[in-house]
Amino acid sequence: MAPQRPVAPKATAGAQRGKAQKGKVTKKYTINCSQPVSDKIFDLSAFEKFLHDKIKIEGRTGNLGEQIAISQAGDGKIEVVAHIPFSGRYLKYLTKKFLKKQQLRDWLRVVSTSKGVYELRFFNVVNDEGDEDEE
């Protein structure tokens, strides 16, 4: 008969609850696209579909399930609610990828206005032609 291995003591109920809370992280991200949507150069529903198709979970696309919810929040905003560890930088990366695909990357940029909030803004273009005409 083989010698018995020592058995680790079972975790207490309090320790088990602490582990359950650590695993469940809920983060809410908002992407404000109101400026380009109001100018009718940005399709919000196409962007929402792009996020549904491209967000990867555990290395696989189309695997969102109940872990990540993507919805339009009116006035040109998209909300992404993640119940798993999820990076806001990944959301910014996907937004920039969508802008490049739609050939809007030359006019729009993604700016983080506060924690968990990203905004699409137009580049500030300085008009130097007006100064040349005055001379």
Side-chain angles (χ1 to χ4, degrees), residues 5 16 25 38 53 63 98 103 116 120 128 135:
R5 292 188 307 218
Q16 288 176 346
V25 178
S38 64
D53 295 342
N63 195 17
F98 179 77
Q103 299 174 346
L120 294 182
D128 291 335
E135 292 178 5

Side-chain angles (χ1 to χ4, degrees), residues 61-77:
T61 58
N63 195 17
L64 296 183
E66 297 294 319
Q67 298 168 336
I68 294 184
I70 303 170
S71 62
Q72 291 186 25
D75 292 342
K77 292 184 181 178

Side-chain angles (χ1 to χ4, degrees), residues 32-33 35-36 42 95 99 108-110 118-122:
N32 185 355
C33 312
Q35 283 183 341
F42 191 84
T95 304
L99 290 175
L108 294 171
R109 64 187 185 137
V110 185
Y118 292 95
E119 184 176 347
L120 294 182
R121 291 186 181 169
F122 288 100

Side-chain angles (χ1 to χ4, degrees), residues 26-57:
T26 300
K27 289 188 177 180
K28 181 178 169 187
Y29 297 98
T30 305
I31 304 173
N32 185 355
C33 312
S34 55
Q35 283 183 341
V37 168
S38 64
D39 288 349
K40 296 185 172 85
I41 64 165
F42 191 84
D43 187 7
L44 200 61
S45 58
F47 180 52
E48 183 182 10
K49 184 182 182 321
F50 177 83
L51 289 177
H52 272 287
D53 295 342
K54 295 291 183 176
I55 289 180
K56 285 187 178 180
I57 297 177

